[in-house]
Amino acid sequence: TPEHLRQVVERVRDLTPAVREPRPEPGAASLYQTVPFRQDTSYMAIGERTNANGSKKFREAMLEARWDDCVEMARDQIREGAHMLDLCVDYVGRDGVADMEELAGRFATASTLPIVLDSTEVPVIRAGLEKLGGRAVINSVNYEDGDGPESRFAKVTRLAREHGAALIALTIDEEGQARTVGHKVAIAERLIEDLTGNWGIHESDILIDTLTFTICTGQEESRKDGIATIEAIRELKRRHPEVQTTLGLSNISFGLNPAARILLNSVFLDECVKAGLDSAIVHASKILPIARFDEEQVTTALDLIYDRRAEGYDPLQKLMALFEGATTKSLKAGKTEELLALPLDERLKRRIIDGEKNGLEADLDEALTSTPALDIVNNILLDGMKVVGELFGSGQMQLPFVLQSAEVMKTAVAHLEPHMEKSDAEGKGTIVLATVRGDVHDIGKNLVDIILSNNGYNVVNIGIKQPVSAILEAAEEHNADVIGMSGLLVKSTVIMKENLEELNQRELAAKYPVILGGAALTRAYVEQDLHEIYQGEVRYARDAFEGLRLMDALIAVKRGVPGASLPELKQRRVAKRD
């Protein structure tokens, strides 16, 4: 009877735990890739150079309808390390809808990066959303004209909900732009409550911009603005860990010359990231690792940010004096002079860390007059790469700079190779690298290739979309010591599991230790679940440098080096049910 069926359904419901589909990792997407809002060892860089208000070069190309040049500027930012592109076409007297349709339509297919649509005009944002595939971010909403049904806030938020876009929300209300920590956090709370409670937008899809203002005017009322921004980010992340934070970074240094701005922007970004900043709108190539600046410059910038004035000392005045007459070219020339003043060994090491090729071969030739080529690689250059790995792992150096360093290392090894004595020794070891079947992503894998190759390993990189049969054929052909598999997609983790099971069936698990890497993997999945399945050794490499450490350990254990051991596996927090 219906009553009986109702009772059965209720009983089943009582006995069945609620099953909820996990939300995908918060992020944006183009037609080609997904970019998480939170990067593992970096901030998410939103490229600012495709903004008609901020880039004269881009604006002029747009006004002259040089669309291919606009696209090339987008591609330049990809090469510089941007994770997303900020696209703004707003310009007085122009048809913003037509410009946005033209450029968003081109960027959708000609650029691999997701797009942040930046406009004050709702129809312009709508035009962009309708041209883009994937998932965009809208920049921005605020309470400047309130939150009524006809406010810009309501109109843009409605668009975001309709198109599934994420939202950048600025800490601006009817009183204006928030300057104090309390005001910034209060507006952020209002935004979060409104967007989640009234509009159904997830906290993790909200990017709060706590705003920053220049601290370089010398006016008393602006001296604490940097501190207010940093502390607002820290407090917001404490209250709402799931909310994303972002920042239009370059405002902090407005008024300084370009060379000084590079320093202040880089140091301020580093401080904001430490406080919990997830992303920033930046010119990615103009952000440098803190290690590239000298101690006095960094200290002065920090004193300015935290307003550490003292009797007879004003960090703003000192910073301007340090960079008086400096240009970005003269700054580079000054770094060159500083480099040449170092002892030869330190200079070569510094060239690796800074990714500086100019003068490299002359330094190597000088070193060869007193040091064997192999010793230069092992005792000097690899020390530099070790520092690069430490900086990358701690978030102080971003991926584009790591690649620059790796390229300099590669050039150095190629120059020294003819001077190295050939040996019949077995070498450091061989690894076969592959992106697994069905996956075309290879940036991470190729970085592993560069790092391992530069550290003396023989790397057989067989490319993307490789079935397990091809991986095993390559391993057999090249007498590999280790197999490395990578993949970005969630489905690739399933393929990796199947590949490990295939190695078990072929009774090859004991012969081939396996290193796995890729954005969809977790350490727990590899070192608990997959380790229970695989009959040999399987380890997770979070990045290329952990891959290097694992390779060192695996080869040392395989060759019976006294005291050699593998890193401990991640322990399962909760015992598995029988």
Side-chain angles (χ1 to χ4, degrees):
T1 65
E3 177 60 23
H4 182 240
L5 286 174
R6 184 187 63 77
Q7 292 175 0
V8 169
V9 169
E10 289 182 355
R11 180 62 177 155
V12 170
R13 186 184 296 122
D14 290 341
L15 294 174
T16 306
V19 178
R20 186 177 298 174
E21 282 291 321
R23 289 195 70 233
E25 184 177 15
S30 67
L31 288 172
Y32 305 99
Q33 64 173 312
T34 298
V35 174
F37 288 142
R38 297 188 184 176
Q39 300 294 307
D40 284 340
T41 58
S42 171
Y43 67 100
M44 182 181 72
I46 303 172
E48 67 181 4
R49 293 176 59 204
T50 44
N51 185 318
N53 290 313
S55 170
K56 180 181 177 183
K57 184 178 178 182
F58 181 77
R59 179 172 64 249
E60 289 177 347
M62 183 186 78
L63 294 178
E64 296 169 14
R66 290 187 280 111
W67 308 119
D68 289 343
D69 290 349
C70 293
V71 169
E72 191 56 34
M73 282 178 237
R75 290 173 174 162
D76 283 344
Q77 293 184 94
I78 299 173
R79 291 186 281 268
E80 291 170 356
H83 299 102
M84 298 178 66
L85 300 178
D86 186 70
L87 175 59
C88 178
V89 300
D90 290 359
Y91 190 74
V92 177
R94 293 283 295 185
D95 183 346
V97 170
D99 286 337
M100 180 59 83
E101 288 177 344
E102 185 70 46
L103 285 169
R106 289 172 181 265
F107 281 19
T109 55
S111 166
T112 59
L113 299 185
I115 302 298
V116 176
L117 294 169
D118 188 347
S119 179
T120 59
E121 302 300 320
V122 176
V124 174
I125 295 173
R126 181 183 292 108
L129 289 169
E130 291 174 353
K131 284 291 184 179
L132 294 174
R135 188 191 197 212
V137 177
I138 296 175
N139 185 10
S140 58
V141 293
N142 61 67
Y143 290 128
E144 187 174 15
D145 66 342
D147 56 2
E150 295 305 312
S151 65
R152 183 179 178 278
F153 173 87
K155 292 175 181 177
V156 173
T157 304
R158 190 174 297 114
L159 263 184
R161 189 174 64 178
E162 289 173 1
H163 290 266
L167 267 175
I168 293 177
L170 310 183
T171 50
I172 301 173
D173 65 7
E174 295 85 348
E175 297 177 14
Q177 302 179 88
R179 299 287 289 270
T180 66
V181 176
H183 196 190
K184 290 175 188 287
V185 173
I187 298 174
E189 289 281 15
R190 178 183 171 190
L191 285 162
I192 294 165
E193 183 179 357
D194 194 348
L195 291 170
T196 58
N198 297 326
W199 295 93
I201 294 176
H202 293 282
E203 280 198 5
S204 56
D205 292 333
I206 303 169
L207 293 81
I208 298 289
D209 185 341
T210 58
L211 302 180
T212 193
F213 306 93
T214 181
I215 56 174
C216 304
T217 65
Q219 295 177 313
E220 190 62 35
E221 61 267 25
S222 68
R223 291 284 191 167
K224 304 288 186 184
D225 280 343
I227 302 172
T229 298
I230 293 169
E231 292 307 318
I233 292 168
R234 182 174 284 114
E235 178 62 15
L236 182 58
K237 296 298 287 188
R238 185 187 70 80
R239 296 186 184 196
H240 298 278
E242 296 302 312
V243 165
Q244 317 299 332
T245 50
T246 193
L247 203 60
L249 183 79
S250 59
N251 288 341
I252 193 71
S253 62
F254 185 77
L256 295 178
N257 71 24
R261 294 192 76 177
I262 289 175
L263 167 70
L264 186 57
N265 289 348
S266 300
V267 174
F268 184 66
L269 175 61
D270 188 55
E271 293 301 297
C272 289
V273 169
K274 290 174 183 174
L277 185 73
D278 300 302
S279 64
I281 302 173
V282 295
H283 186 166
S285 68
K286 297 292 179 69
I287 298 296
L288 299 181
I290 304 303
R292 296 274 181 97
F293 304 104
D294 66 45
E295 187 176 349
E296 182 182 25
Q297 292 172 337
V298 174
T299 299
T300 306
L302 287 170
D303 288 347
L304 176 58
I305 291 166
Y306 290 102
D307 192 25
R308 295 169 183 158
R309 285 174 287 174
E311 183 85 26
Y313 173 62
D314 185 339
L316 176 59
Q317 297 302 320
K318 183 176 179 181
L319 190 66
M320 290 191 293
L322 285 173
F323 288 91
E324 186 175 1
T327 64
T328 52
K329 288 183 179 179
S330 66
L331 183 64
K332 188 170 184 179
K335 293 297 290 183
T336 301
E337 292 173 7
E338 180 185 327
L339 196 61
L340 292 174
L342 294 172
L344 181 58
D345 287 7
E346 283 299 313
R347 186 159 74 241
L348 282 168
K349 180 179 173 181
R350 197 74 224 176
R351 287 192 185 281
I352 298 297
I353 296 169
D354 290 351
E356 181 56 64
K357 274 188 183 181
N358 292 332
L360 173 67
E361 294 184 355
D363 282 351
L364 291 171
D365 289 338
E366 183 181 345
L368 282 169
T369 62
S370 59
T371 308
L374 195 57
D375 288 348
I376 295 173
V377 173
N378 290 334
N379 301 331
I380 301 173
L381 302 182
L382 287 182
D383 277 353
M385 285 305 296
K386 181 181 178 183
V387 173
V388 171
E390 291 168 352
L391 293 171
F392 179 66
S394 65
Q396 296 178 65
M397 181 180 282
Q398 314 311 328
L399 180 59
F401 301 111
V402 174
L403 294 174
Q404 285 178 20
S405 295
E407 187 60 33
V408 173
M409 182 73 182
K410 187 175 181 181
T411 300
V413 172
H415 186 76
L416 293 171
E417 195 168 13
H419 303 278
M420 295 182 191
E421 294 182 7
K422 300 300 180 184
S423 170
D424 294 330
E426 55 186 330
K428 289 190 72 173
T430 298
I431 182 171
V432 168
L433 283 182
T435 301
V436 298
R437 172 171 54 87
D439 200 321
V440 299
H441 298 88
D442 64 355
I443 293 176
K445 173 178 64 66
N446 292 343
L447 178 59
V448 172
D449 184 346
I450 292 169
I451 299 302
L452 291 181
S453 297
N454 287 337
N455 280 273
Y457 287 103
N458 177 35
V459 179
V460 181
N461 187 341
I462 62 173
I464 61 174
K465 297 192 294 185
Q466 294 297 323
V468 67
S469 57
I471 295 171
L472 293 177
E473 285 172 14
E476 191 69 29
E477 178 184 350
H478 296 277
N479 194 25
D481 297 292
V482 179
I483 289 173
M485 293 185 280
S486 76
L488 181 71
L489 306 176
V490 173
K491 71 176 183 180
S492 296
T493 64
V494 178
I495 302 298
M496 291 176 185
K497 178 181 177 183
E498 293 173 354
N499 289 355
L500 293 176
E501 291 170 338
E502 180 70 17
L503 265 71
N504 286 341
Q505 291 176 8
R506 297 193 188 194
E507 298 183 347
L508 293 173
K511 183 176 181 180
Y512 295 122
V514 176
I515 300 174
L516 300 178
L521 288 169
T522 64
R523 189 175 301 279
Y525 176 69
V526 174
E527 297 186 358
Q528 293 172 6
D529 300 306
L530 296 187
H531 191 268
E532 291 179 4
I533 293 169
Y534 192 50
Q535 294 165 7
E537 289 292 348
V538 59
R539 288 292 192 276
Y540 168 72
R542 182 170 179 264
D543 53 45
F545 294 100
E546 185 172 6
L548 172 60
R549 292 191 293 273
L550 283 169
M551 192 68 181
D552 288 341
L554 288 166
I555 295 299
V557 169
K558 183 173 183 178
R559 295 184 179 172
V561 176
S565 64
L566 294 175
E568 290 186 9
L569 292 168
K570 182 179 179 67
Q571 296 299 311
R572 186 178 296 278
R573 292 183 180 178
V574 180
K576 292 184 71 175
R577 294 182 180 178
D578 294 332

